[in-house]
Amino acid sequence: MNNTNVNKRKTILTIAIALMLLAIITTASLAFLTDIFETDNTATVGSVKAGLYNNNGNTLISGYENGGQYILGAPILVTLGGTANQPTNVDLWVKNTGTINGLVRVLITITYTPENDTNMLQLTETVASITNTGWVNQFADTSTAGTRVFYLYAYYNSQIAPNTAVRVLNSITPKTAAALSAEVEITVRADMVAYSGNAYKIEAAGTTVPSADKPFKDFTSADLTSAFLTSWTAWQ
Amino acid sequence: MKNLKFVQFDNPEERFNRTVSILIIITMTFLIFYFVSLSWFGESDYEGGVITVGNIAVSVSTDLNFSGIYLEPNKTYSKQTTIIGSSAVDNENTNDAYIKVKLVTNPKVNGENIITPVYNTSNWVYDGSEWYYYIGFINKTTSATFNTALKVNNNLTNELQNQELDITLTVYAIQRDFEAHKTDNDWKNAPTAWKTAIAAYDTTN
C-alpha cells in the first residue's frame, strides 16, 4: 500500500471515529424532556411585644424586657383615698407593641403601708378590693375568696391588636380603716404571646399539655387548666 | 431475468473502505433517528436540533405575596398554586408531563419550613423531605392545583420575630412518555406510593 492510500484511510477512520464520538456524547448528555420553574418571594414573621404604660396608655413606664416579658423597674406608687369604699384610680396600661394580635396576662403584687405605720404588708381582699375590667383573675393564694392577698395573675379576656393598650387596673378601693390613705406599691410583669398558634397549646378538657408548650409559664400547678379555661376564653 | 451478483472485495483497501462506510452509515442513521423520531431523548430547552419533536414547559400561577402581612404562628392564608402545560414553541402542543413541587423557606424553624402548603393529599404524594409529587399529569389543557392555602409553622420562636424569610416555589416537570421518571436521576427515587399511583398513566412509547 502506498502512502497516499494510508493517509486516505487515516482520514476516513478519523471521520468515522469523530462521528461515533458525536453520537455517544449527544445521547449521553441530553436527557428527557423536562422543565423547571422557580419563583421567589419574601414574608415577614410577626411579633408580639408587651409594654406597660401610664398616661392613658401613652407613656412607657420604665422597665426591662426579659424573654417576651416586660417588668416594671420599680413599683407603681398609689395613695388610697381617705374614705372607705371610694375607689382610687390606677393609671396602668399594657400595650401590644408588636405586629400581630396577642394574648396577655399580668402578674400583679400589691403591698401597702398602713397610715401611721412603717411596716409594709400584703394588701388583702379583707381591707381593699380591686377592679380590673375585662380580666380574669387567678390568685396564688388559695384561701377563701374575700380574704386572699393580692398576688395574682390576671388574664385579659380578649385579643389585643397591635398598638392597642388596655387598662391593667382600674382602681383600688379601701374597705377598712387599715387601708385608708395607705400608700400602695404595685409591681407588675406583663407576658404576651401570639393569639394564633402557640396559644392553643393549653389544657382543654381531657388533655394535658407540658408546661414548656403552654403559652404562659405555670403560675401554680393548677394554671391554665380546663377549669380555668371556662372562664378565660380569649384563647379560643 | 438478470442474475444478481454480489460484489466481492478481495482487496484489503476496498474491504477497509467498506467497513468504514458502514460505520458512517450506521452512525448517521442513528443520529437522524435520534433527532427526528425519538423525542424522549431531547431536553425541553434544546434548540440545536433541526426538527423540534416535542417540548415540556410549565406555566405556574402562584400567590406567594405576603406584602403588608405579618405571619402568625399556625395561621392559614388562602394562597393557591396552579400548574398547566405551556408550550415553549409557537404552535406546538406541549407533551404530557408529570410534575413535582417543592416549597422552601429560609430560614427554617427546627429544621422545618416556616410555611407549608395546604394541599389535597389525594392528589399529591409527599416524599417526606421536600418534594410533592402530583398523581396525574398536565398538558396544555389539563392543569393541577397544588396548594389551596399556605400554613405557618406553629413553632415560631421569639428569635424569628420580625424576621424576613425567603419563600421559594419550584415546579419540576418531566415527560410522561417512555416512563422517563423511572430512569431520570432526579425522578427515579420518587416515593413508591407515587410510582404506584401513576402507573396507570405511564406510557412506554
Side-chain angles (χ1 to χ4, degrees):
Chain A
M1 229 179 325
N2 59 38
N3 285 341
T4 305
N5 284 339
V6 170
N7 289 337
K8 197 168 156 188
R9 289 175 61 178
K10 279 183 180 174
T11 303
I12 294 170
L13 190 60
T14 303
I15 292 170
I17 291 171
L19 283 171
M20 292 294 285
L21 284 173
L22 176 65
I24 292 168
I25 290 169
T26 305
T27 53
S29 61
L30 294 183
F32 300 108
L33 290 170
T34 60
D35 189 29
I36 296 178
F37 169 91
E38 188 171 290
T39 185
D40 301 289
N41 217 317
T42 59
T44 304
V45 178
S47 64
V48 287
K49 191 175 176 184
L52 290 163
Y53 287 71
N54 58 20
N55 190 24
N56 292 320
N58 293 310
T59 304
L60 183 67
I61 305 173
S62 177
Y64 60 94
E65 296 174 19
N66 180 26
Q69 301 174 333
Y70 191 82
I71 303 167
L72 289 183
I76 295 171
L77 301 178
V78 177
T79 301
L80 300 182
T83 305
N85 300 318
Q86 289 294 312
T88 299
N89 290 334
V90 179
D91 186 19
L92 176 61
W93 303 70
V94 62
K95 182 187 283 186
N96 178 2
T97 59
T99 56
I100 59 177
N101 285 7
L103 298 174
V104 68
R105 75 172 181 181
V106 290
L107 175 62
I108 302 172
T109 305
I110 307 176
T111 55
Y112 77 115
T113 304
E115 197 176 29
N116 304 321
D117 197 335
T118 56
N119 295 317
M120 183 173 286
L121 306 172
Q122 285 190 301
L123 191 67
T124 68
E125 291 178 313
T126 304
V127 297
S129 63
I130 64 169
T131 301
N132 56 347
T133 306
W135 298 78
V136 179
N137 299 324
Q138 186 175 53
F139 288 79
D141 184 347
T142 55
S143 57
T144 306
T147 61
R148 298 169 297 196
V149 298
F150 286 110
Y151 177 38
L152 66 147
Y153 267 125
Y155 291 78
Y156 193 64
N157 212 6
S158 297
Q159 302 172 46
I160 301 182
N163 202 34
T164 301
V166 297
R167 200 161 191 168
V168 175
L169 272 179
N170 300 83
S171 62
I172 301 175
T173 303
K175 292 163 67 176
T176 67
L180 297 179
S181 302
E183 185 173 72
V184 170
E185 292 190 7
I186 308 168
T187 61
V188 183
R189 187 191 78 199
D191 304 347
M192 186 169 278
V193 296
Y195 162 71
S196 186
N198 289 328
Y200 294 107
K201 288 186 175 181
I202 51 185
E203 288 182 17
T207 67
T208 301
V209 173
S211 295
D213 289 338
K214 291 181 178 178
F216 299 113
K217 291 176 182 174
D218 280 337
F219 183 39
T220 68
S221 59
D223 236 23
L224 297 178
T225 61
S226 55
F228 178 73
L229 294 175
T230 59
S231 301
W232 180 59
T233 55
W235 59 275
Q236 294 176 349
Chain B
M1 188 173 173
K2 198 172 182 179
N3 289 332
L4 291 175
K5 190 175 181 183
F6 289 97
V7 179
Q8 298 296 315
F9 294 103
D10 294 331
N11 186 318
E13 185 178 347
E14 288 179 337
R15 193 181 302 124
F16 171 80
N17 288 341
R18 179 193 59 177
T19 306
V20 170
S21 298
I22 290 171
L23 277 175
I24 292 173
I25 289 167
I26 291 172
T27 304
M28 292 301 289
T29 304
F30 175 79
L31 287 173
I32 291 168
F33 179 70
Y34 157 71
F35 280 118
V36 174
S37 63
L38 285 185
S39 64
W40 52 276
F41 275 163
E43 193 169 341
S44 63
D45 56 358
Y46 179 72
E47 296 175 351
V50 176
I51 301 170
T52 302
V53 290
N55 71 93
I56 294 290
V58 291
S59 176
V60 180
S61 169
T62 187
D63 180 7
L64 299 178
N65 181 16
F66 286 92
S67 177
I69 296 173
Y70 291 97
L71 301 181
E72 298 184 41
N74 206 41
K75 187 164 184 175
T76 300
Y77 298 87
S78 182
K79 305 276 184 187
Q80 183 162 310
T81 299
T82 304
I83 303 140
I84 193 167
S86 174
S87 178
V89 182
D90 289 343
N91 302 319
E92 282 283 336
N93 199 2
T94 185
N95 291 46
D96 292 345
Y98 293 128
I99 53 172
K100 60 179 180 178
V101 183
K102 68 176 175 180
L103 185 72
V104 176
T105 66
N106 184 30
K108 300 178 187 297
V109 57
N110 300 328
E112 299 174 347
N113 288 317
I114 290 176
I115 293 176
T116 53
V118 176
Y119 60 98
N120 187 338
T121 54
S122 298
N123 294 339
W124 297 83
V125 175
Y126 183 45
D127 69 2
S129 58
E130 57 178 2
W131 290 101
Y132 299 83
Y133 290 78
Y134 180 59
I135 302 174
F137 58 87
I138 63 162
N139 53 37
K140 207 169 182 177
T141 56
T142 306
S143 63
T145 297
F146 177 48
N147 58 289
T148 54
L150 296 175
K151 187 174 184 180
V152 180
N153 195 301
N154 191 36
N155 297 313
L156 299 184
T157 59
N158 284 341
E159 290 72 26
L160 289 168
Q161 291 197 84
N162 296 319
Q163 189 159 336
E164 188 175 89
L165 59 99
D166 295 321
I167 313 164
T168 303
L169 178 86
T170 306
V171 179
Y172 193 157
I174 189 169
Q175 66 179 58
R176 174 189 171 204
D177 296 333
F178 295 101
E179 298 181 319
H181 67 88
K182 291 185 177 177
T183 50
D184 187 275
N185 284 336
D186 291 337
W187 286 78
K188 64 185 180 185
N189 295 320
T192 303
W194 177 75
K195 290 180 178 176
T196 303
I198 54 98
Y201 304 123
D202 281 342
T203 61
T204 54
N205 53 41

